[in-house]
Amino acid sequence: MTDQNDLVIRLTDVSKSFPPDVLALRGVGMEVGRGGFASIMGPSGSGKSTLLNVLGLLDTPTVGRYELAGVDTLGLSDKARTQLRGRELGFVFQAFHLLARRTVFENVVLGMSYSGVPRDERAARATASLDRMGLSHRLGFYPRTLSGGERQRVALARAVAGSPSVLLADEPTGNLDKATSQGVLELLGELNAEGLTVVVVTHDPEVASAAEQRFVMDDGHLRSWTDMSFDSARPGVIADGVLAGQWACGEGA
Amino acid sequence: MRRPPASGRHRDRQRKPGGVEAVESAESTSRRHDPFGLRDVLMEAVLGLAGRPGRLILTALVVVLGIGALVATVGFAQTGARQVQARFEAVTARHGVVKPAQETGMPGFVPGVVPWDAAERAVRLNGVTSAGTVAKLDSPGLVTAGPVIDPTAPPTRQPLVMAATPGLFPAISGHIQEGAWLDNFHEQHAERVAVLGARAAQLLGVLRVDNQPAVFIGTTSYTVIGIIDRVEYVADLLDAVIVPQSTARTTLGLPLPGELHVGVDLGAGPIIAEQFGLQLNPNNPQGYDIVMPPPASQMRQDLAADVNSLFLILGLVALAIGGVTIAVVSSMSVMERRGEIGLRRAIGATCGQIAAQFVAESAIVGLLGALIGAAVGGLAVTVWSIIRGWTPVLDLRLAAAAALTGVGVGVLSGLIPAHRAARLEPATALQEGT
Ligand SMILES: Nc1ncnc2c1ncn2[C@@H]1O[C@H](COP(=O)(O)OP(=O)(O)OP(=O)(O)O)[C@@H](O)[C@H]1O
Ligand SMILES: [Mg+2]
């Protein structure tokens, strides 16, 4: 479905092992087009976070090839990888990872300070990005005074303020209740609609089904469910029909 | 299917061609590029420290102690040295003495004689501010405080008897405890008056002079007009009954005026020394031992601050402990801030930038501790000097050196934690540090 030239993420036969003998990824292949929306589900310990770390250049594959935005990341120096990461990628984590002693606004500005966004643009971008997440009234607040959903929206604002190519989200709704998750999910959808490539790891079938490309991780193997037809109006289908028997995904759902 | 027409911020991106050009165009979309530089590192370091004030105070305090001790030690030494120098300039640098030369055995050499009017001759020279002669009498007779001599009494310790002219007192920077020193009237009229050295006064039981007490040398009485308690030269004076030179000459048989002391202007010593012999005796100018203060420029060099090495070592030890404290606390901080470190890596911080931030934090702690320490040390020196009535010497270079030392200690002790922080795997740091 995607034009070969328009791939943002191209993972070829990637394996990742941890000493002494954990094989977290086994020959994973994955392609996500520019503006795509991919979800990865799978049981705990199956390698989802490991995969996302590889995609995020936070970790290097033991074997295999990874091209990000047309750049072959193999053999890049740590500095070059870091710069590529800062420029092309935005992150959202289950644990938010907001700096407790910085305000909401400062957290978002910090997100742009390493990636070379011109100094005089940062404040305006941060404000716009927080505004985009519906947080204009929280600029001077400290994270501890915010609700979980608000914190995750701050993290989201920080992730996209620098206009990355790809947003990587590792269980972004893992710490949120259902209603709040829905809000975050909608934001992800909107960002994607505006052209941002999104890869999300989730335990929540509802989140997963919102994606146009759906992957399942199983003991280091990545399988695509893209070809299966899901009714996005009835996300329960995934849990009920296809995957329910394989594992319990109670945490997220 | 569920993608509406692209709008907003990400529109450019969607049009971006794939492949290598994508990266280039990503760079060219924002032509200006502000890298994370030293300014940002320092800013982040300051914010990082400010967020943990308790820890900052604790670590800086140890550096304060170390630097404070060092600055105070050096400050005390410099102040003390300045004090010695000031005293030296006030006294030593303004004093000269002339004696008959020792017999050298050289053919044609005749030892000079200090003439009776040596003091008057001396003050005629430019640069001589005061002059006076002083001599010790060899066997003046028994000195007593009263006229009645009891021959059966056991011999008590006897004070010395000395002869002096009025100009001697200023020349040797004497200090009157009571009454007055000999004056020109006493000298001109060979008055039978005496000034007592403080110890001689004690020996003779003379405590005050307002009731005109008398001392006897032999059977002649002398009215005590003053007691002196301090002299910079001719310390024997404090043990002596001092009578005018003329009196000693006429009534006590003083054979010669002894030695001549002169007060001179600062720096005038060398020129006076050249002229002095001629002034005293044009026929035998070589016959004198003339000791005059060296030129002022030479004197300062001889004065080096005598630093108390014990305090210096204590300061260095405290400083070393300060460094270790920074290293330990900062290492703990790295462990605690793994999440933050991981996050920074994720948003594009290189390991060098992470390391730089931790080094900068330690350096700032060191600098802060050093500045406060220098202030505390300087204050200690000032208070101490004021108490002793001295002029505190506070060298600005010392403050600069303290600041540099503080930064140095901070950087050194920040290296290990910085290395640890930089080596954290971003993925691990993000996972463990939540
Ligand atoms: N740094 C590491 N060192 C050793 N083993 C690791 C490391 N990181 C992950 N693993 C192992 O790799 C496997 C995959 O871990 P990963 O975190 O990717 O799972 P996950 O799918 O994200 O699980 P969860 O849903 O619980 O987050 C696990 O067996 C895990 O123990
Ligand atoms: Mg995980």
Side-chain angles (χ1 to χ4, degrees):
Chain A
M1 71 171 272
T2 6
D3 175 2
Q4 193 76 355
N5 284 332
D6 210 16
L7 286 181
V8 182
I9 288 171
R10 188 170 187 204
L11 216 55
T12 320
D13 217 9
V14 162
S15 293
K16 174 75 186 177
S17 57
F18 292 109
D21 57 356
V22 181
L23 254 177
L25 299 178
R26 304 168 193 245
V28 170
M30 186 183 187
E31 291 185 349
V32 182
R34 195 166 287 280
F37 191 161
S39 71
I40 303 165
M41 292 188 77
S44 188
S46 58
K48 305 182 296 296
S49 295
T50 305
L51 173 59
L52 212 64
N53 287 338
V54 168
L55 293 179
L57 300 172
L58 294 168
D59 213 343
T60 42
T62 316
V63 282
R65 240 171 103 88
Y66 175 33
E67 285 166 71
L68 170 65
V71 179
D72 186 354
T73 66
L74 204 75
L76 283 185
S77 69
D78 182 73
K79 191 177 174 191
R81 287 158 52 80
T82 303
Q83 283 170 351
L84 187 62
R85 175 165 68 232
R87 194 173 62 227
E88 300 290 343
L89 301 173
F91 292 88
V92 174
F93 308 95
Q94 179 175 359
F96 315 132
H97 282 298
L98 299 173
L99 297 196
R101 292 173 180 89
R102 310 286 172 93
T103 64
V104 163
F105 177 75
E106 288 165 347
N107 265 286
V108 177
V109 169
L110 180 69
M112 290 176 275
S113 59
Y114 289 98
S115 53
V117 173
R119 255 174 242 288
D120 50 7
E121 287 180 22
R122 289 177 197 166
R125 283 202 192 204
T127 314
S129 186
L130 282 162
D131 191 26
R132 174 78 187 71
M133 306 300 157
L135 288 167
S136 318
H137 58 305
R138 293 281 186 263
L139 296 193
F141 282 54
Y142 285 89
R144 83 185 108 77
T145 65
L146 303 184
S147 72
E150 285 176 321
R151 288 184 209 188
Q152 197 56 300
R153 270 145 61 202
V154 175
L156 207 49
R158 176 180 62 193
V160 301
S163 306
S165 301
V166 181
L167 177 70
L168 300 173
D170 195 348
E171 300 185 31
T173 60
N175 278 345
L176 307 178
D177 62 39
K178 205 164 172 66
T180 320
S181 300
Q182 191 58 39
V184 171
L185 184 59
E186 273 166 22
L187 280 171
L188 284 181
E190 285 172 30
L191 289 167
N192 176 244
E194 288 164 17
L196 178 66
T197 310
V198 177
V199 178
V200 58
V201 163
T202 185
H203 278 121
D204 185 348
E206 208 166 331
V207 176
S209 61
E212 58 186 0
Q213 274 178 289
R214 278 153 288 211
F215 295 94
V216 170
M217 196 68 165
D218 183 15
D219 195 20
H221 298 285
L222 186 73
R223 302 206 179 102
S224 172
W225 292 85
T226 315
D227 299 333
M228 299 193 62
S229 54
F230 288 106
D231 186 344
S232 54
R234 293 196 301 120
V237 165
I238 306 173
D240 298 343
V242 188
L243 305 171
Q246 296 187 24
W247 69 82
C249 49
E251 302 144 85
Chain B
M1 64 178 191
R2 45 190 306 284
R3 203 186 297 167
S7 64
R9 261 191 316 286
H10 298 284
R11 195 187 300 161
D12 304 345
R13 302 234 169 228
Q14 197 158 26
R15 290 208 209 100
K16 229 183 260 175
V20 177
E21 298 85 23
V23 175
E24 284 165 3
S25 78
E27 267 166 358
S28 60
T29 33
S30 58
R31 214 166 276 280
R32 286 177 311 125
H33 180 89
D34 285 341
F36 191 87
L38 183 63
R39 189 178 115 184
D40 304 271
V41 169
L42 291 175
M43 188 69 181
E44 289 302 314
V46 167
L47 288 172
L49 289 170
R52 299 165 182 81
R55 183 171 303 177
L56 171 64
I57 290 168
L58 176 81
T59 36
L61 200 65
V62 193
V63 180
V64 168
L65 288 179
I67 293 282
L70 287 178
V71 167
T73 305
V74 177
F76 286 152
Q78 286 184 335
T79 301
R82 178 72 192 84
Q83 194 58 25
V84 169
Q85 182 181 335
R87 218 172 126 77
F88 183 81
E89 278 175 5
V91 179
T92 318
R94 296 171 185 273
H95 172 263
V97 64
V98 179
K99 301 171 194 176
Q102 298 284 309
E103 181 68 68
T104 56
M106 290 218 310
F109 176 83
V110 183
V113 170
V114 175
W116 291 108
D117 63 346
E120 283 133 64
R121 287 170 187 252
V123 291
R124 275 181 228 137
L125 279 176
N126 257 343
V128 173
T129 54
S130 56
T133 44
V134 62
K136 207 179 289 179
L137 284 117
D138 284 334
S139 42
L142 201 62
V143 180
T144 53
V148 187
I149 302 158
D150 178 5
T152 61
T156 49
R157 254 185 68 218
Q158 278 285 294
L160 301 168
V161 176
M162 296 178 84
T165 58
L168 178 77
F169 205 55
I172 61 171
S173 309
H175 182 260
I176 297 274
Q177 179 188 319
E178 197 115 2
W181 175 250
L182 306 167
D183 63 25
N184 286 329
F185 181 85
H186 301 136
E187 178 63 28
Q188 275 157 24
H189 298 91
E191 291 283 311
R192 290 224 291 268
V193 292
V195 169
L196 303 184
R199 285 194 292 265
Q202 221 159 17
L203 215 56
L204 294 166
V206 177
L207 301 176
R208 18 194 309 216
V209 299
D210 50 359
N211 53 357
Q212 300 190 309
V215 293
F216 290 79
I217 303 172
T219 53
T220 317
S221 86
Y222 297 81
T223 307
V224 177
I225 58 164
I227 297 173
I228 60 171
D229 58 359
R230 206 165 68 225
V231 290
E232 295 297 337
Y233 299 92
V234 205
D236 279 351
L237 286 170
L238 298 182
D239 293 299
V241 174
I242 308 146
V243 299
Q245 179 177 280
S246 54
T247 314
R249 198 176 165 190
T250 53
T251 62
L252 295 168
L254 177 70
L256 284 170
E259 52 185 41
L260 172 68
H261 289 261
V262 292
V264 300
D265 283 332
L266 207 58
I271 296 170
I272 294 172
E274 276 175 30
Q275 305 168 346
F276 224 103
L278 220 55
Q279 183 78 359
L280 290 181
N281 186 352
N283 300 319
N284 185 16
Q286 305 300 325
Y288 302 97
D289 247 352
I290 301 167
V291 181
M292 288 292 156
S297 58
Q298 262 177 30
M299 297 186 308
R300 288 182 183 250
Q301 291 169 2
D302 302 340
L303 292 162
D306 185 15
V307 175
N308 185 323
S309 50
L310 177 68
F311 284 138
L312 202 63
I313 289 167
L314 281 178
L316 287 173
V317 168
L319 199 59
I321 294 174
V324 172
T325 309
I326 294 182
V328 170
V329 172
S330 180
S331 289
M332 277 162 39
S333 183
V334 167
M335 285 301 106
E336 194 186 288
R337 290 162 71 182
R338 274 173 306 183
E340 176 192 334
I341 293 164
L343 185 268
R344 285 180 191 274
R345 298 283 277 134
I347 60 178
T350 62
C351 39
Q353 286 164 338
I354 296 289
Q357 182 182 337
F358 277 87
V359 168
E361 285 190 15
S362 300
I364 291 170
V365 172
L367 177 66
L368 210 66
L371 291 179
I372 298 173
V376 169
L379 194 71
V381 171
T382 308
V383 169
W384 180 70
S385 304
I386 288 171
I387 288 171
R388 304 203 56 163
W390 291 4
T391 313
V393 177
L394 295 172
D395 196 339
L396 270 184
R397 283 171 304 179
L398 195 59
L404 274 179
T405 309
V407 171
V409 167
V411 167
L412 274 183
S413 44
L415 287 179
I416 293 171
H419 183 69
R420 284 192 180 183
R423 283 211 13 208
L424 281 179
E425 289 291 337
T428 322
L430 278 165
Q431 196 182 16
E432 291 174 352
T434 44

